[in-house]
Amino acid sequence: MSVLDRVRIETAVQRYDLALDLYGVAGPARRGLRRELRTNLREAAGDGGVRPALAAIGSPEQLARESAEAVSNPTRPAWSQGLAWALVAVFLYWLLSLWSTFAFMDGVLASGASHDVTGGITLLPGTEVSVQHDATGVMGGLVMRGPFWLTALVLFLLVLTIAGRLWRPLRRSASEHAG
């Protein structure tokens, strides 16, 4: 089996694993399912080639959905999904801060001020924008202090909790204690 064939098989296995994680399959079960898929693909590739073997399983995501129905744990948090959404939320928060900085700088340029202008951005606590405009050019800076980072951390944790459904194990504990 060529290196490219091994890469194709491993790519399919990793896509399968990620989808299993998103469907709530725990680590030990995912390891077993990954091992089984990898073994089956290698055996099928030995019989008829890698492309037909991969075509036979179809979409790794669909296969993961079908496999997850049998072994998923509905009380398991979706860590990967929560982390992905939390990172997107923090990225958008930082993007908003950069966009606001450029809007502030544009306002200073439009005003025609020829001295240093410093100010904060109301929607982004803990930020301070400084702009210097003169005949030779424009210079700007953005300072992010504690409240900005605290807001980013709270946003990260909030989105992680909601998107990852981190309360799921608590529901199981409560139902076990009630019964």
Side-chain angles (χ1 to χ4, degrees):
M1 186 179 313
S2 73
V3 173
L4 185 58
D5 289 342
R6 290 179 191 196
V7 168
R8 286 183 179 132
I9 288 174
E10 197 54 38
T11 300
V13 170
Q14 292 307 315
R15 286 176 52 197
Y16 177 68
D17 181 55
L18 177 62
L20 285 172
D21 186 36
L22 293 176
Y23 288 121
V25 178
R30 282 196 344 255
R31 270 191 295 280
L33 290 168
R34 253 192 340 252
R35 191 176 309 116
E36 180 182 355
L37 177 63
R38 188 178 290 118
T39 302
N40 290 344
L41 284 173
R42 286 181 180 167
E43 287 175 5
D47 295 340
V50 171
R51 289 182 191 262
L54 291 173
I57 67 164
S59 163
E61 292 79 10
Q62 178 62 34
L63 181 63
R65 183 179 305 125
E66 294 166 3
S67 300
E69 289 175 3
V71 296
S72 69
N73 179 357
T75 62
R76 181 179 176 270
W79 288 102
S80 298
Q81 189 173 0
L83 183 61
W85 281 110
L87 290 174
V88 166
V90 170
F91 173 76
L92 291 174
Y93 180 67
W94 289 343
L95 196 61
L96 175 66
S97 71
L98 289 175
W99 178 78
S100 299
T101 300
F102 290 129
F104 185 93
M105 292 174 70
D106 191 39
V108 170
L109 291 174
S111 73
S114 60
H115 54 82
D116 290 353
V117 178
T118 302
I121 300 170
T122 306
L123 294 175
L124 303 168
T127 58
E128 183 179 289
V129 181
S130 179
V131 181
Q132 183 180 15
H133 177 241
D134 58 25
T136 60
V138 178
M139 184 170 64
L142 173 64
V143 177
M144 299 172 189
R145 293 195 168 76
F148 177 84
W149 297 109
L150 182 62
T151 304
L153 177 63
V154 167
L155 177 67
F156 177 84
L157 293 175
L158 182 67
V159 173
L160 175 67
T161 301
I162 293 169
R165 299 180 297 272
L166 302 187
W167 61 84
R168 284 173 147 185
L170 299 175
R171 279 194 338 205
R172 180 184 62 193
S173 313
S175 65
E176 288 173 359
H177 294 313

